Amino acid sequence: MNNTHNLQLDHNGRLRHFLTIEGLSQQLLTEILNTAAGFTGVTERSVKKVPLCRGKVVVNLFFETSTRTRTTFELAAKRLSADVLNFNAGISATTKGETLLDTLRNLEAMHCDMFVVRHEASGAAHFFAQHAAPNVSILNAGDGRHSHPTQAMLDMFTIRQHKGDFTNLKVAIVGDIQHSRVARSQILALNTLGVPEIRLVGPRTLIPAAAESLGVKIYYDLCAGIQDVDVIIMLRLQKERMATGLLPSEHEYFRLFGLTQERLRYAHPNAIVMHPGPINRGVEMSSEVADGSSSVILQQVSYGIAVRMAIIAMALGNNEAIS
Amino acid sequence: MNNINIWQDSQSINTVVANMAIELRAVLNAKHIENPIIVGIHTGGIWVAQSLYKLLQLQTTLGILDIAFYRDDFTKIGLHPVVRPSQLPEDIDERHIILVDDILHTGRTIRAALNALFDYGRPSSVLLAVLAARNGRELPIAPDIVGWHANIPSQQYLKLTGPHPLQLIIT
């Protein structure tokens, strides 16, 4: 995917597709965050939408189920006044043998302007972007283990809202790094935005051997890993991993890597705790932490709408501009 | 900055804004408007609104409005690269609004600002105050308070730079 970054930008260097954080500049990521800040107030008004994308059609093309991501994309598009079509691949023609490309062509023929794609195969959104018509934008809502860039951007937005600046932060990402598309995108975004210290914390079986090449520090002990950090990003533990023998049991995982109020004391006193959801209470963290004063997990959900509004608006505006 | 482009310097701007405040006060009195909300449009409009706010000694906090999400050229040029949050101080239902901008040209910004404003509520009335109103209106929009009337060639643009010092330049 060497030309991914070219594919994402138009000839003016502005966002056209949003597939991965890779290859996007600090300036562009900051523009997304600033634009999202502009959208945060919209929900507090008497009319909770702006007319920006009136007449546009956004298709949620989900080949993998996800309630939260799909709902926030849908709400984001609706708050921009776009029409939204939810295309659930489970009940669609793909189960009857239609190829991805045929699916895309059919939806394009219905004059849709943007596809929000989630697929279990890495590179699916990229594939769509390569074959999309010139006036159609593709957003990646998660592809295999590759990336989940809008989740990473809403995490960056949450961090900025609480910490103001990225350039003197210590950030720990805790949990199943190996299987996490979110972690990959987060590391890229944190690096691009200038976070000086990124730590990966988890059991040896769940941290990829090559992770150090990403410019991160690796810890196999939770307390040491979160010592003095400003931000703790917990990852969801995919329960299906237990079956593969990578983890002994949920109980054992919680005993070693579960974030409890006691362990949280190792972090900076003003540290924030984040989680992409849904939380496995008593596995990744205790309820006490999840509902505690350091937790910003529900704010992440709210900010997710503003950040997705920003990305939809930036990409939709630009593809129209060149067509 | 190239001096020949300066149309009005900060000193004459201050004088004109002071006169606008006097005129605005007279209009508010004549219309029996008490405790209006003054709202500046990003970016130049806010600078002018801040001066008027001080001169009129208003009680309600200054409002700021970014109209990027209401522009009519989104499908032509995309989203404006600099978007700032709008902030209105409180519920604007049944309130009197003084909308402030730096330059009134085509009227499209004011159209967008009115639409944005009405998504916050239903104000009792809206007055429009602009530092300079130039030729080139494309919509039926007329200001209530005007600092200067300017008649300049259609291919030239009037622009307020600032905030320190405030200068009106022609480009």
Side-chain angles (χ1 to χ4, degrees), chain B residues 70-129:
Chain B
Y70 291 83
R71 293 173 68 105
D72 58 11
D73 52 7
F74 173 70
T75 54
K76 279 196 182 140
I77 61 168
L79 188 61
H80 195 276
V82 186
V83 175
R84 291 133 305 195
S86 294
Q87 276 173 334
L88 290 189
E90 49 193 75
D91 193 359
I92 64 164
D93 273 342
E94 308 306 322
R95 296 291 298 271
H96 296 277
I97 307 284
I98 305 166
L99 191 60
V100 182
D101 205 3
D102 48 4
I103 320 290
L104 177 61
H105 181 192
T106 60
R108 288 176 192 271
T109 298
I110 303 304
R111 192 284 306 164
L114 286 171
N115 281 32
L117 209 51
F118 277 71
D119 280 352
Y120 285 86
R122 183 183 183 276
S124 281
S125 70
V126 182
L127 288 170
L128 176 61

Side-chain angles (χ1 to χ4, degrees), chain A residues 123-198:
Chain A
H126 183 260
F127 173 83
F128 274 111
Q130 275 177 321
H131 296 95
N135 56 345
V136 168
S137 280
I138 308 293
L139 302 193
N140 186 359
D143 61 329
R145 291 189 200 173
H146 176 239
S147 73
H148 191 359
T150 60
Q151 175 70 44
M153 287 314 293
L154 79 87
D155 294 332
M156 298 308 115
F157 187 75
T158 308
I159 293 172
R160 196 176 77 163
Q161 291 291 93
H162 285 273
K163 300 295 173 191
D165 180 39
F166 292 99
T167 55
N168 45 32
L169 292 182
K170 292 191 183 84
V171 179
I173 304 174
V174 182
D176 182 0
I177 314 288
Q178 174 86 37
H179 302 97
S180 176
R181 55 189 172 206
V182 180
R184 288 180 58 101
S185 297
Q186 284 164 342
I187 295 166
L188 284 166
L190 290 166
N191 270 328
T192 307
L193 290 166
V195 170
E197 189 171 335
I198 305 169

Side-chain angles (χ1 to χ4, degrees), chain A residues 232-286:
Chain A
I232 304 174
I233 303 177
M234 304 298 293
L235 297 175
R236 196 172 108 79
L237 191 73
Q238 316 270 346
K239 294 202 177 189
E240 51 272 28
R241 307 289 174 226
M242 306 290 174
T244 62
L246 290 171
L247 284 175
S249 70
E250 288 183 7
H251 178 73
E252 183 73 0
Y253 182 85
F254 184 68
R255 196 177 65 77
L256 292 169
F257 290 98
L259 190 61
T260 60
Q261 205 67 44
E262 262 168 34
R263 286 173 173 159
L264 186 55
R265 292 201 188 97
Y266 284 87
H268 189 279
N270 295 327
I272 54 169
V273 176
M274 299 167 51
H275 190 293
I279 312 169
N280 294 311
R281 288 170 185 264
V283 181
E284 297 118 6
M285 63 175 81
S286 67

Side-chain angles (χ1 to χ4, degrees), chain A residues 14 39 45 47 51-52 320, chain B residues 69-70 74-75 79 119-120:
Chain A
R14 300 190 68 186
F39 283 118
R45 311 181 322 182
V47 176
L52 206 56
E320 188 73 17
Chain B
F69 305 144
Y70 291 83
F74 173 70
T75 54
L79 188 61
D119 280 352
Y120 285 86

